[in-house]
Amino acid sequence: MIRVGGKEHPWREGLTVAELLAELGRAEDTPVVRVNDTFVSRPRFGATRIPDGAEVFLIPMIAGG
Amino acid sequence: MSAPRLEPRLSFPYRRPAVERGYTRQTLHVDLSRPAVAVKPVPPEMERIFIGGKGFDLWLLWQAVTPQTRWDDPENEICIACGPLGGTPSYPGSGKSIAATISPLTGTVIDSNVGGYFGPFLKFAGFDALEVQGLSAEEVVIVVDGIEEQVTLYGAEGLPEDAYALTAYLTERFAKGRPRDVSVVSTGPAARHTRFGCLNFSWYDPKRKRARYKQAGRGGIGTVLAHKRVRALVARTDSSVTIDTNAPADRERLKQVSRLHSREIVELDPKQNEMSVIGTTHLVTIMNDHDLLPTHNFRFGSHREAENLGQAVFRRLFDPGFDGCWMGCTVACSHGVRDFVPLTGPYRGTPVFVDGPEYETIAGLGSLLGIFDPHTVIEMNFYCDAYGLDTISVGTATAFAMECFELGLIGREATGGLELRFGNRAAALELIHQMARGEGFGRIVGEGVRRMKALFAERWGADPRLLADIGMEAKGLEFSEYMTKESLAQQGGYGLALKGPQHDEAWLIFLDMVHNFMPTFEQKAEALHWFPMFRTWFSLCGLCKLPWNDIVPEDNRDTPEPAKVMKHVRWYAEYFSAVTGRESTPEDLIRMSEAVYNFQRIFNLRMGFGRREHDTLPYRAVGPVTDLEYESRAERYDRQLAEIHPGRDIASLATAEKRALLRAHREAQYVRLQDAVYRRRGWTPEGIPTLATVRRLGIDFPEVVALLAAHGVRE
Ligand code: SF4
């Protein structure tokens, strides 16, 4: 089990950030996520695996800076 | 050195007016040449049109200078103002000061929005704005004491040289046992020898028992302060500030909206960027992953070692604790490093507290120079602040010099023997020390990119066209630290910014590149209208923009215009209405900014800038200048060329030919963007506000109308 934005979400071995966002229907509008203390950006979504028990947050990067 | 001495030269008693609805309705003028002090009333029209903060600065400065005024003329002045909402401790991000002057780098108006307590303390001491004009015959410290109701000009001798030690000394000297009542504005020795001296604004951190600092970095305001021979400005007031100190028109309404925004930040920051823990350092790896982190003088947008400068490292290095640069700011992102031991310079071997670094400093003093060692970045950050240097201009100017050295445009005879290659940490640090001593090649780098370009061509025979392409300045100001090659909208965000390429007007890279929210020219132009206007509004009111869109509501993405974070914009309208009693909608906020924004454009025009020709960019900001850059992203560029020129055999072209094709296309795109933005802003094709625009905004003062007419604008 992992938590996404504070809500529980099922985990499976090898689950990537890209797969998680697809499951959530959030692939299009999410450029950055935080997995525990690590920020991961879209170019690395496919290659980043989420560990069991992780806290995941979808970062709404839009017009900050 | 002799012991520090402060001798009163002039004392000016005054009556501190009650603050009413966010205003004192008077400003303070200090003439250093005579010397003399005067209080000026704020006429209702000034308040209505210019609102406060940067608006007040611009109006006061406009009356102080002439089109011929140079930065070092006595009539140039430094204006510092808060704003009607500034000093509210309940609403996050409400303690900003806005400083403005005629810049030594650009020759026209520069403005800088900065934290620390000075602006609010100045207001609570009795003044909505301060003008410091003239040139002093000796070194002075100006103290505005709202408790004693007295302005005092001190002749100063033997004060500590660097900003950290100077601020610590002055805080102690004027605190009368309550250091939190004091805020100091100062610069350091490098401001005397460079054109990009910064101002350090302090606040006292009771937990760490030390003065902390934020910088008004851009455009050399510290250089102007040093030239005036002002060592420091001190504001003193009772720091027991509450929601009532601004005497808001509707206290309950203010309390409610403050609570909404404050609580939302407390709830959502831990789920989003964690700015209260890591500041803006999360941006480093995010930018790197999107090929947007400038490295090696903006040649490239990523580097395999960038993680060495990322948030994971600063999460460990920052001293944990509350780091709000104004009271009650729940974002609290102004972090620092405790017990840092520099390896060079006067503090070598001595533990110090370093305020920062933020993203811009990490990118400017790190990746941009090919330096990926956090401790070197922290050391450079420390000495830039202590010496009074803008970290962004130092980074961008040093990166330019490094590339010139690597390309053989200048050699060791120019750099005084420094092997000024990318990644040379010792050389980068040495340049900063040279800037402070006013010696060697550091003094030349301290002239800024624009003047280095002219000098390298004239003295060392460097190719001026190549220098123009790789020298990252516009309007004379060094670029801040984002890659813009793949974002036309952000090229506009930099090129069309009034003061030069600083991202505080518009940061559209993600909207444009990552989210593709604005595919057409008209959509880009709309963004380059709305965002600069709304961002300007923060500087009118004394606010920080971070709480607006760095932490956003959870349902924001379901709103019609997520980029604008309209829920927060509505809260800001509510906030403004509650404090000032001037009932305002989000559209009203934009109109307030539009008036000041257009006035600043016209101010530029008056100073000999402010037309299309001044809105141009170095090609490095637009596309690949060299074969090396092109080939590093050849797949991307080849694909784009194939789309632009269907049917043409791109693969058969030499890299130089491909670069030329791409350049012609991208430069034409930028011109089309300029056309669209000028139209949207109500400007002529030359980029000058039309008479109809200035009338609509109520800034059709006779001198404005005459100036427009002198530039052929009569309708
Ligand atoms: S958000 Fe950060 S920079 Fe802005 S006022 Fe708060 S602490 Fe200061």
Side-chain angles (χ1 to χ4, degrees):
Chain A
M1 196 64 77
I2 57 174
R3 290 170 72 83
V4 182
K7 295 198 186 97
E8 294 202 331
H9 188 93
W11 177 84
R12 63 173 183 276
E13 186 73 46
L15 177 69
T16 65
V17 173
E19 287 164 354
L20 172 69
L21 292 176
E23 282 168 22
L24 296 168
R26 296 292 305 273
E28 287 297 305
D29 69 342
T30 308
V32 179
V33 300
R34 179 153 58 80
V35 181
N36 296 323
D37 280 352
T38 306
F39 286 78
V40 184
S41 306
R42 188 177 286 159
R44 296 198 289 128
F45 284 170
T48 304
R49 292 189 177 179
I50 302 172
D52 192 13
E55 282 273 5
V56 180
F57 298 101
L58 277 46
I59 307 294
M61 284 285 298
I62 40 168
Chain B
M1 184 182 282
S2 56
R5 277 182 51 176
L6 291 171
E7 297 282 343
R9 298 280 188 250
L10 175 72
S11 288
F12 178 85
Y14 66 93
R15 290 291 298 277
R16 178 164 45 84
V19 180
E20 268 300 316
R21 300 183 172 201
Y23 292 97
T24 66
R25 297 187 174 80
Q26 65 177 24
T27 63
L28 180 66
H29 183 273
V30 178
D31 179 349
L32 297 161
S33 300
R34 291 175 57 196
V37 176
V39 175
K40 298 181 186 175
V42 173
E45 280 295 88
M46 175 173 162
E47 183 181 319
R48 190 179 60 79
I49 297 170
F50 292 97
I51 310 297
K54 169 166 146 171
F56 279 13
D57 286 347
L58 289 175
W59 180 237
L60 295 169
L61 193 59
W62 170 277
Q63 290 165 88
V65 302
T66 72
Q68 287 73 42
T69 299
R70 287 167 43 94
W71 72 273
D72 52 358
D73 286 334
E75 69 262 27
N76 187 23
E77 60 184 27
I78 294 172
C79 299
I80 302 176
C82 184
L85 312 188
T88 305
S90 55
Y91 203 101
S94 298
K96 293 286 187 165
S97 310
I98 295 81
T101 194
I102 301 296
S103 161
L105 284 166
T106 68
T108 186
V109 185
I110 190 82
D111 60 278
S112 202
N113 174 314
V114 55
Y117 288 5
F118 187 86
F121 278 16
L122 177 72
K123 176 162 77 173
F124 298 143
F127 305 102
D128 289 333
L130 165 68
E131 297 169 84
V132 180
Q133 196 175 31
L135 298 175
S136 175
E138 60 173 342
E139 295 207 326
V140 291
V141 170
I142 301 167
V143 179
V144 183
D145 190 330
I147 297 172
E148 305 285 337
E149 296 182 297
Q150 183 150 294
V151 179
T152 309
L153 195 69
Y154 291 91
E157 266 178 42
L159 294 185
E161 271 287 294
D162 74 75
Y164 273 62
L166 177 61
T167 299
Y169 170 77
L170 292 174
T171 302
E172 167 81 24
R173 171 76 164 72
F174 291 103
K176 302 198 174 143
R178 287 174 53 102
R180 207 160 184 244
D181 291 355
V182 171
S183 175
V184 178
V185 176
S186 68
T187 185
R192 287 201 297 274
H193 309 304
T194 67
R195 287 177 186 267
F196 39 66
C198 77
L199 298 178
N200 285 282
F201 280 59
S202 80
W203 86 95
Y204 191 79
D205 179 342
K207 197 194 99 203
R208 297 184 179 87
K209 297 197 171 21
R210 60 169 60 250
R212 305 281 306 276
Y213 308 87
K214 293 288 274 191
Q215 288 73 34
R218 308 304 336 260
I221 309 179
T223 299
V224 178
L225 191 80
H227 181 73
K228 291 184 177 300
R229 305 194 73 188
V230 176
R231 293 301 314 279
L233 312 169
V234 179
R236 178 169 175 256
T237 192
D238 181 351
S239 58
S240 323
V241 175
T242 70
I243 193 168
D244 295 315
T245 313
N246 261 325
D250 189 334
R251 184 182 195 278
E252 269 315 297
R253 201 173 168 191
L254 173 61
K255 212 167 132 186
Q256 273 182 22
V257 72
S258 298
R259 194 183 292 143
L260 285 174
H261 206 157
S262 209
R263 282 193 181 162
E264 189 192 78
I265 287 168
V266 171
E267 186 197 330
L268 295 183
D269 181 49
K271 296 183 182 176
Q272 296 182 13
N273 293 323
E274 291 186 292
M275 296 177 82
S276 66
V277 180
I278 56 172
T280 52
T281 61
H282 60 289
L283 286 170
V284 176
T285 51
I286 293 175
M287 291 298 121
N288 189 62
D289 290 342
H290 286 96
D291 207 21
L292 292 167
L293 177 74
T295 79
H296 303 83
N297 195 32
F298 296 88
R299 277 178 179 166
F300 313 116
S302 61
H303 193 278
R304 65 193 155 74
E305 292 182 59
E307 274 195 38
N308 296 351
L309 303 176
Q311 58 86 22
V313 173
F314 287 99
R315 193 182 281 274
R316 293 191 291 271
L317 292 175
F318 283 145
D319 187 37
F322 175 77
D323 289 312
C325 74
W326 173 245
M327 301 174 195
C329 180
T330 43
V331 183
C333 70
S334 302
H335 305 300
V337 179
R338 176 194 286 273
D339 291 334
F340 178 79
V341 181
L343 295 177
T344 66
Y347 284 86
R348 182 178 174 202
T350 309
V352 294
F353 191 98
V354 185
D355 281 283
E358 300 176 11
Y359 164 79
E360 293 287 328
T361 297
I362 297 170
L365 300 179
S367 57
L368 195 68
L369 307 182
I371 292 173
F372 295 94
D373 158 25
H375 292 93
T376 302
V377 171
I378 294 169
E379 184 156 341
M380 291 169 79
N381 181 161
F382 171 73
Y383 278 118
C384 281
D385 294 350
Y387 291 157
L389 287 166
D390 172 26
T391 54
I392 296 176
S393 279
V394 168
T396 302
T398 303
F400 170 70
M402 284 179 161
E403 183 165 6
C404 289
F405 187 88
E406 293 224 339
L407 293 174
L409 301 175
I410 56 169
R412 290 172 76 121
E413 66 285 8
T415 65
L418 284 178
E419 188 69 14
L420 204 59
R421 296 195 178 279
F422 287 119
N424 188 336
R425 296 172 294 167
L429 269 161
E430 174 56 20
L431 279 183
I432 290 174
H433 296 307
Q434 288 182 356
M435 287 178 204
R437 297 193 301 263
E439 293 172 4
F441 192 60
R443 187 150 192 160
I444 290 173
V445 176
E447 286 290 295
V449 171
R450 178 164 283 193
R451 286 166 186 82
M452 273 195 282
K453 286 193 293 192
L455 185 79
F456 293 175
E458 187 194 307
R459 193 180 297 172
W460 309 105
D463 175 2
R465 281 170 311 174
L466 181 56
L467 294 171
D469 282 350
I470 65 173
M472 294 300 283
E473 59 87 12
K475 300 185 171 78
L477 186 72
E478 285 73 28
F479 271 64
S480 73
E481 311 303 348
Y482 293 100
M483 289 289 282
T484 56
K485 283 179 190 166
E486 302 310 314
S487 169
L488 178 60
Q490 189 57 37
Q491 290 164 26
Y494 274 144
L496 304 176
L498 296 177
K499 66 178 164 228
Q502 171 72 0
H503 57 280
D504 63 344
E505 271 198 19
W507 191 87
L508 303 173
I509 301 181
F510 260 62
L511 289 181
D512 189 27
M513 259 184 65
V514 180
H515 297 293
N516 198 22
F517 273 9
M518 45 179 101
T520 69
F521 282 97
E522 282 62 37
Q523 286 164 322
K524 287 179 172 55
E526 179 57 33
L528 283 165
H529 176 71
W530 195 90
F531 285 95
M533 295 315 146
F534 190 55
R535 283 172 173 251
T536 294
W537 182 79
F538 291 94
S539 285
L540 307 185
C541 293
L543 301 182
C544 173
K545 83 94 212 159
L546 297 186
W548 161 48
N549 69 354
D550 279 77
I551 296 146
V552 303
E554 287 192 299
D555 59 358
N556 186 59
R557 71 190 181 95
D558 302 323
T559 61
E561 296 181 290
K564 295 182 178 174
V565 198
M566 284 308 291
K567 182 178 178 185
H568 289 176
V569 177
R570 283 189 289 275
W571 283 352
Y572 281 113
E574 183 73 2
Y575 180 17
F576 187 85
S577 306
V579 174
T580 65
R582 185 170 157 182
E583 201 58 42
S584 300
T585 63
E587 293 72 37
D588 294 330
L589 309 189
I590 297 293
R591 248 192 314 277
M592 292 173 200
S593 292
E594 241 190 306
V596 176
Y597 191 91
N598 278 271
F599 184 74
Q600 188 170 351
R601 181 74 175 182
I602 291 162
F603 205 149
N604 280 350
L605 192 67
R606 186 182 183 219
M607 302 309 289
F609 298 82
R611 294 193 309 278
R612 179 183 281 265
E613 65 183 286
H614 305 111
D615 289 339
T616 52
L617 292 168
Y619 185 61
R620 175 65 58 80
V622 178
V625 172
T626 60
D627 284 0
L628 181 73
E629 284 162 83
Y630 190 99
E631 282 159 9
S632 76
R633 272 86 177 144
E635 200 187 312
R636 175 196 298 163
Y637 297 137
D638 283 356
R639 192 180 61 243
Q640 289 174 5
L641 281 178
E643 283 166 15
I644 300 161
H645 300 284
R648 189 150 178 187
D649 182 10
I650 300 300
S652 68
L653 299 176
T655 303
E657 291 172 302
K658 291 196 246 182
R659 270 199 294 112
L661 266 186
L662 193 66
R663 181 168 188 156
H665 173 73
R666 289 190 171 195
E667 288 185 334
Q669 296 280 97
Y670 182 74
V671 171
R672 284 184 65 188
L673 180 72
Q674 277 181 297
D675 294 340
V677 174
Y678 292 164
R679 259 197 313 275
R680 176 61 188 89
R681 289 182 180 172
W683 296 357
T684 70
E686 255 301 282
I688 300 173
T690 63
L691 205 53
T693 299
V694 299
R695 281 196 181 127
R696 177 174 65 81
L697 299 170
I699 53 168
D700 52 336
F701 315 121
E703 62 267 44
V704 165
V705 173
L707 183 69
L708 295 185
H711 286 272
V713 179
R714 294 194 170 77
E715 54 187 65

